[in-house]
Amino acid sequence: MLPPWLRVLPGRTPSATVALVLGRAPVLVDAGSGRVASRAAIDALLADAGLRPGDLTAVLLTHAHDDHVGGVGRLAREHGVPVALHAADLDHRCDRAFLAFDVPPFPVDRVLADGDVLAAGDRELHVVHVGGQTPGAVVYWEPVDRIALTGDLVQDGDVAWARFHEPGGVAAMAAAVHRVAALGPRIVVPGHGPVVTDVPAAIARSLDRYAAWEHDLPAAARHAGRRAVVHTLVHAPRDAAALARLPWARHVAATVGLPVEGAVDELVAGLAARGIVRERDGLLHATVPAEPADPAG
């Protein structure tokens, strides 16, 4: 299914998928969460290809959310790997004002723009600026084998959450998917979920969902809120009051028309009914398969 020049490390919460492009100029696309388990998995991916981290010629970031960029600082600082990120995400690292996640600062050696062409392995990756979930989100497009590395776009069975709290946020996600569709990809490697081979069906599902959300912003808010709850709890168990203090909770509450505490309780109850969240010793825990937490201390 995948060509021999491309290897994929499936994401395991809280890490997004990482792709390795092989050849004379090997590059990594995205860098996972930065947890010890994520770093070890990336090192194993490289070792299986006969590479060490210092052999990479670049880390190409699709966008600046923590599950995609958390591991990039280690590669840059310890191994001198250059980092590439779109200009519009330079001041948007990890979406602090919405998700409240942070990572240590990391250098950006190449500031990307739409239309840039990057050496990757023995191939060329074209930078396609799509925006949507972050201002600088990009797709990396390989036109010979028609493979798109899409960050959070065009998933199999789900869709990327939309910036429901910003004017035009849902429409921006639909526009980003349309830009991917215009490329005519044969295979999509998204940041979450399996590699997509029935690309037209995945694109149609995404566009249908965003079209519905344009007329139902509370549904978009609840979708984003559920993902924020799980992502937060994977990092560390918390009680509902702690969740209600996070910035995304205020935006969800305002959109669904509930007090913040009520909106969080609704999200948690829905996830608990599906077995995704459970309470233990007064704290909420995510039950999804996840990378082991880093050792204390």
Side-chain angles (χ1 to χ4, degrees), residues 15 29 44 49 65 92-93 99 111 122 134 145 153 168 173 191 199 207 214 225 228 231 247 262 272 277:
S15 279
V29 177
H65 279 162
H92 198 76
R93 294 178 186 177
L99 295 176
V111 178
D122 298 322
T134 68
D145 284 319
L153 290 174
M173 293 301 294
V199 177
L207 292 176
E214 288 248 42
H231 194 66
V277 168

Side-chain angles (χ1 to χ4, degrees), residues 29 42 48 150 237 250 292:
V29 177
I42 289 173
D48 188 60
T150 57
R250 296 192 296 273

